[in-house]
């Protein structure tokens, strides 16, 4: 493989995160965040060449946001037009039933990503805007979409089926898709490496605890269950999302509180979770409030842990035996109390956390279980951008190989000639 970098783009409705990295080593050449696209107080923060550049100005749309980012790249010594970019990898949230592996982008793929917007109205249209903007700015570089749902495409039927009218489910694509797949796949692969075993031979539970949060049960490298469903709302308690609740709450609120469907959407996606219970969605804030004796914050923490333990129990039983439990993402990597409380009192299952290892100031992938523990408990920093970059490279190389095979075989045919 050459050392040409890969540009990874994660385009949201009003923001674009980007990173230019070297896919073999993971070394990051430059990265940044464009925020508040379409609002008067747009902003960019760009890191590269040992410098941080910030600017505030209105950014009317995604193309303007990327143009601004490209200008910052040039300022920090990475002119993207001649940086030798091998491929651009785009994070796309929902692949529906259609996309279940990283896919080379063409017009039809963009149209289909848009068509899947009914399943992810906040995310897919924004992903498509980012893709189109990069295609305009870098028309000669291949672009690959990497889907958040892909890893969970083959969940067992019993795990992916909702117990509702089968025809309704079928007509409207209602099944459990799962999200954060790129992270669960990357982290479980790293975890298998860390315990020195082939991924095919280990049973794992992964807790991806960021602002959004999900858990997965993985048997021999294949996911058998996950907490998120049709949308990223199901499952664990999150920063601003409720996770699981009694679906009866929705008609109840519509009838008794007069909420309409947009109110409910906002309530459950933006004003619930830690923010709904305690007024803050950031775990560091929650911890500060708990330290000050705030009872709502304490309760929010307890609900958060209770939900984690509920899924831990479900997945322990689902897998029958577990070899590795891994924590990742903002909270999972940085909150020793969450890790310790989630796994407390489970020594009879071979699960224990070593207090010293758990609280060590260490940013690397590491064990936090005691040396002789039956179940390895790990912290593995996630790196979705690197996983996307590598997946994009694999698709680009495969496509190049197929193209040159086709060229070779058409040359063969020509040289064989009609007389053969
Ligand atoms: P996402 O990608 O879902 O936005 P991240 O994985 O970056 O989220 O996680 C962000 C969250 O991680 C923050 O909202 C905060 O709650 C939590 N977090 C970050 N640093 C710490 C820390 N040092 N201690 C506890 N929680 C932290």
């Amino acid at each position: 493989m050459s050392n040409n970098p890969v540009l990874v783009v994660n385009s949201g409705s009003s923001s674009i995160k980007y990173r230019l990295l070297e896919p073999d080593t993971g070394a990051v050449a430059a990265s940044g965040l464009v925020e508040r696209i379409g609002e008067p107080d747009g902003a960019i923060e760009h890191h590269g060449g040992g410098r941080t550049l910030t600017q505030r100005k209105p950014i009317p749309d995604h193309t303007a946001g990327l143009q601004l980012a490209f200008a910052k790249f040039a300022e920090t010594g990475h002119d993207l037009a001649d940086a030798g970019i091998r491929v651009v990898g785009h994070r796309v949230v929902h692949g529906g039933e259609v996309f279940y592996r990283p896919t080379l982008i063409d017009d039809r793929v963009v149209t289909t990503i848009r068509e899947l917007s009914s399943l992810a109205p906040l995310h897919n249209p924004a992903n498509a805007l980012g893709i189109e903007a990069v295609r305009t700015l870098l028309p000669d570089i291949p672009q690959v979409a990497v889907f958040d749902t892909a890893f969970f495409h083959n969940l067992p039927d019993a795990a992916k089926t909702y117990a509702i009218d089968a025809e309704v489910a079928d007509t409207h694509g209602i099944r459990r898709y799962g999200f954060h797949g790129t992270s669960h796949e990357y982290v479980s692969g790293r975890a298998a490496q860390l315990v020195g075993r082939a991924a095919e031979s280990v049973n794992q539970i992964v807790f991806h605890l960021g602002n959004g949060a999900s858990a997965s049960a993985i048997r021999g490298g294949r996911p058998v269950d996950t907490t998120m469903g049709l949308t990223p709302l199901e499952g664990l308690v999150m920063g601003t999302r409720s996770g699981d609740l009694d679906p009866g709450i929705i008609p109840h609120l519509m009838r008794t509180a007069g909420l309409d469907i947009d109110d409910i959407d906002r309530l459950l996606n933006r004003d619930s979770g830690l923010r709904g219970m305690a007024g803050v969605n950031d775990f560091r804030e929650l911890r500060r409030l708990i330290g000050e004796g705030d009872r709502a914050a304490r309760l929010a923490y307890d609900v958060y842990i209770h939900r984690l333990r509920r899924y831990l129990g479900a997945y322990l039983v689902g897998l029958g035996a577990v070899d590795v439990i891994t924590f990742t993402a903002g909270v999972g990597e940085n909150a020793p109390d969450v890790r310790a409380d989630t796994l407390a009192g489970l020594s009879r299952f071979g699960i224990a956390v070593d207090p010293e290892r758990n609280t060590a100031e260490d940013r690397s992938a590491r064990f936090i279980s005691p040396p002789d523990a039956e179940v390895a408990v790990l912290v593995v920093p996630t790196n979705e951008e690197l996983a996307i970059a590598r997946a994009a490279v694999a698709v680009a190389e495969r496509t190049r190989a197929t193209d040159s095979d086709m060229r070779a075989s058409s040359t063969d045919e020509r040289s064989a000639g009609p007389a053969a």
Side-chain angles (χ1 to χ4, degrees):
M1 267 194 199
S2 69
N3 283 329
N4 296 27
V6 174
L7 178 65
V8 175
V9 177
N10 182 353
S11 168
S13 54
S14 65
S15 71
I16 304 170
K17 278 190 215 158
Y18 58 85
R19 192 175 284 190
L20 185 69
L21 56 84
E22 206 289 300
D24 296 342
T25 61
V28 177
S31 64
L33 172 65
V34 180
E35 285 184 290
R36 294 186 292 281
I37 295 170
E39 292 170 40
D41 59 341
I44 184 167
E45 182 170 319
H46 176 92
H47 308 274
R51 295 162 65 200
T52 295
L53 308 177
T54 53
Q55 190 179 349
R56 290 185 180 279
K57 66 180 269 193
I59 300 167
D61 55 29
H62 285 68
T63 305
L66 279 161
Q67 268 165 340
L68 185 59
F70 282 26
K72 301 296 169 206
F73 271 115
E75 269 186 63
T76 58
H78 308 94
D79 188 348
L80 295 190
D82 49 37
I85 295 176
R86 215 191 296 198
V87 55
V88 181
H90 292 271
R91 178 184 183 215
V92 178
V93 167
H94 219 306
E97 291 278 13
V98 187
F99 298 114
Y100 46 89
R101 52 172 73 107
T103 302
L104 190 70
I105 294 172
D106 58 19
D107 291 346
R108 242 193 35 221
V109 169
V110 182
T111 305
T112 313
I113 288 170
R114 277 232 162 76
E115 282 167 6
L116 291 168
S117 294
S118 62
L119 290 169
L122 294 179
H123 296 106
N124 273 38
N127 299 153
L129 283 174
I131 291 171
E132 284 187 329
V134 178
R135 288 182 88 204
T136 311
L137 295 170
L138 298 173
D140 299 326
I141 296 176
Q143 322 256 334
V144 171
V146 179
F147 297 89
D148 238 34
T149 47
F151 183 53
F152 299 114
H153 181 72
N154 283 325
L155 279 181
D157 288 344
K160 76 178 183 200
T161 305
Y162 286 108
I164 62 167
D165 183 295
E167 209 179 299
V168 172
D170 221 35
T171 309
H172 299 284
I174 294 178
R175 52 157 280 196
R176 307 188 64 255
Y177 291 93
F179 296 86
H180 293 148
T182 309
S183 178
H184 284 275
E185 186 173 18
Y186 172 82
V187 165
S188 58
R190 287 283 291 126
Q193 279 174 351
L194 229 66
V195 297
R197 291 173 58 180
E200 296 70 37
S201 73
V202 277
N203 287 352
Q204 308 198 36
I205 297 173
V206 175
F207 289 109
H208 174 112
L209 310 178
N211 220 344
S214 62
S216 65
I218 300 172
R219 186 194 304 284
R222 301 178 71 107
V224 292
D225 212 346
T226 191
T227 54
M228 284 178 167
L230 173 80
T231 74
L233 185 54
E234 191 178 351
L236 301 174
V237 175
M238 310 183 210
T240 64
R241 290 179 225 148
S242 62
D244 295 337
L245 40 75
D246 176 354
I249 291 171
I250 295 168
H252 178 75
L253 281 175
M254 294 175 86
R255 284 190 203 105
T256 58
L259 301 190
D260 68 18
I261 207 65
D262 291 329
D263 298 330
I264 302 260
D265 212 25
R266 201 170 322 111
L267 175 74
L268 300 183
N269 277 297
R270 297 190 190 281
D271 298 330
S272 293
L274 299 177
R275 180 185 285 164
M277 291 183 285
V280 295
N281 65 300
D282 191 299
F283 233 88
R284 290 160 288 199
E285 285 290 295
L286 188 78
R287 214 187 262 132
R288 185 182 57 75
L289 289 175
I290 293 171
E292 289 170 2
D294 186 301
R295 286 171 62 181
R298 179 76 233 176
L299 176 62
Y301 181 84
D302 291 345
V303 176
Y304 188 93
I305 298 293
H306 180 81
R307 189 81 54 84
L308 281 168
R309 286 174 68 88
R310 181 191 284 174
Y311 277 107
L312 173 68
Y315 291 174
L316 278 174
V317 171
L319 290 168
V322 66
D323 305 298
V324 189
I325 298 173
T326 305
F327 291 88
T328 192
V331 178
E333 292 166 30
N334 296 300
D337 45 349
V338 169
R339 301 191 293 254
D341 290 340
T342 303
L343 303 183
L346 299 175
S347 55
R348 71 164 54 193
F349 296 98
I351 298 170
V353 170
D354 179 293
E356 228 165 89
R357 287 178 159 192
N358 187 33
T359 51
E361 287 290 332
D362 188 344
R363 304 262 132 240
S364 55
R366 64 194 189 277
F367 285 74
I368 57 165
S369 43
D372 55 351
E374 225 175 288
V375 177
V377 182
L378 310 177
V379 176
V380 173
T382 192
N383 193 339
E384 286 160 290
E385 290 82 4
L386 179 59
I388 290 171
R390 288 181 174 164
V393 168
V395 172
E397 309 238 306
R398 231 180 9 251
T399 313
R400 207 168 301 143
T402 316
D403 284 354
S404 62
D405 278 358
M406 278 167 62
R407 268 199 304 277
S409 71
S410 66
T411 317
D412 287 350
E413 275 162 31
R414 270 203 307 277
S415 58

